Amino acid sequence: MTQLCEIRVPDVGNVAEIDVVEVLIKVGDTVEIEQTVATLETDKASMDLPSSANGSVQEVFIKPGDKVSEGTLIATVLVSDAGSAPAAPAPVVAEAPKVEPVVEKAPEPVVSAPAPSAPTPAPVAAPAVIIETTSTGKAHASPSTRLFARELGVDVSKITLGTGRKGRILKDDVKSYVKKALTEGGAVAGTGAGIPSIPAVDFSPFGETELLKLSKIKRLTGQNLSRVWLNLPLVTYHEEADITEMEAFRNSLNAEKVKGEVKITGLIFIVKALVAAMQQFPNFNSSLSPDGESLILKKYYNIGIAVDTPNGLVVPVLRNVNTKSINELTLELAEKSEKARLGKLMPADMQGGCMTISSLGGIGGTAFTPIVNAPEVAILGVTRAKMQPVWNGKEFIPRLMLPLDLTYDHRVIDGAEGARFMATVKQYLGDIRRLLL
Ligand code: CAO
């Protein structure tokens, strides 16, 4: 046997008009006792209206924006014998639920606990209307939305604006928030660990704008950089190397090259000097184990080179630098940076780096703070070398000085270690004969 059960607004105290904020059921849905069927709101409180029967929804009489009051018919539910059908003849009015303030309560809940006023005793215990007051200054969301957010590990206060009435946060807003966090690769701002998001701004009052989709490389690089920025305690140390002799040597080598031959770039000497220093300071050729308890020391020396391409930044890797000559590395860099610019690098070309160099020297600059390419623990930034007067103890002499910026993961590298490492790189670049030792 089946019976039609009515779900009505219970006695919610002396409130004449209650707004329907969200309707969570539709015709054909199966509902269970205590399942929230609608979210109602007064000026002072919001409440989840639970179903008082198990069954299938036959008709829904309200929609968001409607005003309801005690006794308003919300929906009818067809209850089968197997379900929790009220014993009274159909139609049966669900018993007015007991009202219990829950979650973030105001000192004086506006909706008071009424005495049951249903005409027929319902055979099932009517679930409580769940109330959340809105005078707490907390995020504007119903208890069921809060529960939903908690189940997904979302701190609802991190959702800055809901799409519901008066900015109310709805379940769909929680879903969009999670979706956005997953697409952007960032962490969902969970309770206590969330980082305030940057609110969206409508620029239209200030002038015309145009929407330009980011390239895939740019989006992925952005996600990775944000992750590193948020997870690693980064320190950048600045140094200058005297490359006057190195540059003279490089120019003399290039003068010997016949037309069409690839010229030796200063970057290759930097790659060599870096690896020589990494061999002396093994911590720079390491990664932190995922549990943060150990260092994974690498016995190979692969250097990533950040290459600027029309589609964004890519980092091809020069492998086994310690076993290759300056000429070999020059050719390899020329080939890989060309492939990078043509978008022809294979994933394997960009894997296995131990440390990265980001050189802006061809463009300019005096210093910058590159971001470590984790799980590497350090990155070397290079900006434009320039002639400077350097005091030799007796006089100022013109020297070609190269600015270097080392950013490192401070969990792995100590400040003094970083300074010693850079003093070593500087020494190698100052006298490249030392690379032979
Ligand atoms: N100081 C002075 N001049 C420099 C210099 C420096 N530190 N570095 C390069 N130059 C000169 C070169 O000698 C070259 O001069 P010539 O044309 O007279 O020979 C010119 O600048 C152009 O060099 P280049 O940048 O093309 O070549 P490179 O070997 O130095 O660099 C590469 C290769 C692939 C790193 C570079 O082309 C590139 O893409 N740089 C951008 C890197 C980048 O975007 N990094 C990301 C920063 S954000 O993390």
Side-chain angles (χ1 to χ4, degrees):
M1 221 185 96
T2 53
Q3 282 182 331
L4 203 60
C5 179
E6 293 179 344
I7 300 174
R8 288 182 182 272
V9 177
D11 176 5
V12 287
N14 238 353
V15 187
E17 284 199 326
I18 308 167
D19 293 318
V20 177
V21 173
E22 212 176 353
V23 179
L24 300 158
I25 49 166
K26 57 184 185 321
V27 173
D29 281 358
T30 304
V31 287
E32 289 176 7
I33 287 172
E34 289 196 27
Q35 181 182 329
T36 303
V37 296
T39 303
L40 310 180
E41 185 184 272
T42 67
D43 281 352
K44 301 273 169 42
S46 69
M47 59 205 92
D48 279 352
L49 184 67
S51 169
S52 48
N54 290 330
S56 102
V57 177
Q58 298 303 296
E59 218 170 329
V60 179
F61 299 92
I62 53 162
K63 57 181 187 318
D66 282 357
K67 305 258 184 226
V68 295
S69 56
E70 184 189 338
T72 303
L73 182 60
I74 301 292
T76 49
V77 174
L78 192 65
V79 181
S80 70
D81 271 349
S84 306
V92 177
V93 178
E95 183 185 14
K98 192 171 119 243
V99 176
E100 283 175 8
V102 292
V103 203
E104 283 102 23
K105 302 181 285 232
E108 290 170 16
V110 173
V111 185
S112 59
S117 58
T120 332
V124 290
V129 172
I130 301 174
I131 297 173
E132 179 220 14
T133 62
T134 53
S135 54
T136 54
K138 300 260 166 85
H140 205 44
S142 73
S144 61
T145 304
R146 283 173 184 281
L147 179 66
F148 180 62
R150 269 200 303 277
E151 281 169 358
L152 296 178
V154 173
D155 177 355
V156 85
S157 68
K158 299 291 181 290
I159 304 175
T160 42
L161 193 62
T163 54
R165 201 177 136 265
K166 292 186 193 161
R168 163 167 288 278
I169 295 158
L170 307 179
K171 279 185 186 167
D172 277 346
D173 297 318
V174 177
K175 284 184 204 162
S176 309
Y177 179 81
V178 172
K179 235 183 250 170
K180 187 163 180 275
L182 290 176
T183 338
E184 288 174 358
V188 171
T191 310
I195 291 162
S197 56
I198 295 166
V201 173
D202 173 15
F203 299 105
S204 59
F206 313 115
E208 201 188 330
T209 58
E210 184 194 341
L211 205 62
L212 191 66
K213 210 96 189 111
L214 292 179
S215 71
K216 193 169 173 206
I217 292 180
K218 209 152 198 148
R219 272 187 288 124
L220 293 176
T221 309
Q223 287 168 14
N224 194 35
L225 292 172
S226 307
R227 249 196 307 268
V228 175
W229 183 260
L230 293 172
N231 281 294
L232 271 59
L234 299 174
V235 175
T236 303
Y237 178 82
H238 306 286
E239 182 56 281
E240 265 183 339
D242 182 340
I243 58 163
T244 318
E245 316 300 349
M246 184 193 100
E247 202 50 14
F249 179 52
R250 185 176 80 89
N251 287 334
S252 67
L253 289 176
N254 282 340
E256 291 168 14
K257 302 254 175 207
V258 292
K259 211 171 167 221
E261 256 190 300
V262 180
K263 296 216 165 152
I264 296 167
T265 128
L267 194 55
I268 292 303
F269 288 102
I270 301 173
V271 168
K272 273 288 192 188
L274 188 66
V275 165
M278 285 162 80
Q279 288 174 315
Q280 275 174 253
F281 294 83
N283 284 356
F284 281 83
N285 195 23
S286 76
S287 286
L288 203 56
S289 64
D291 62 7
E293 305 252 322
S294 326
L295 274 189
I296 301 161
L297 298 170
K298 296 162 196 169
K299 308 292 180 189
Y300 51 88
Y301 297 88
N302 298 343
I303 300 297
I305 306 289
V307 178
D308 185 29
T309 79
N311 282 329
L313 193 67
V314 290
V315 186
V317 173
L318 303 176
R319 289 177 193 280
N320 304 313
V321 168
N322 54 320
T323 67
K324 291 178 181 163
S325 69
I326 295 276
N327 280 329
E328 283 172 313
L329 290 167
T330 299
L331 289 177
E332 196 175 330
L333 176 64
E335 182 199 315
K336 289 202 164 147
S337 52
E338 181 65 7
K339 262 169 103 179
R341 292 199 174 100
L342 297 173
K344 289 192 174 158
L345 283 177
M346 301 308 283
D349 291 326
M350 295 179 275
Q351 287 164 358
C354 302
M355 198 168 154
T356 297
I357 297 178
S358 178
S359 172
L360 297 174
I363 305 168
T366 54
F368 74 117
T369 55
I371 296 177
V372 169
N373 190 12
E376 297 168 18
V377 295
I379 183 169
L380 184 71
V382 182
T383 49
R384 196 166 193 81
K386 73 170 182 229
M387 275 295 183
Q388 284 181 29
V390 174
W391 184 251
N392 69 358
K394 290 194 210 106
E395 57 186 342
F396 283 105
I397 47 167
R399 306 296 291 176
L400 185 62
M401 303 303 289
L402 177 70
L404 300 167
D405 314 289
L406 176 81
T407 299
Y408 54 85
D409 181 345
H410 209 350
R411 296 172 304 173
V412 177
I413 311 288
D414 292 334
E417 201 181 1
R420 282 191 203 104
F421 178 81
M422 287 307 283
T424 306
V425 171
K426 171 181 165 153
Q427 199 177 34
Y428 280 123
L429 291 175
D431 186 352
I432 53 164
R433 293 171 306 177
R434 289 176 180 274
L435 289 172
L436 298 171
L437 300 175

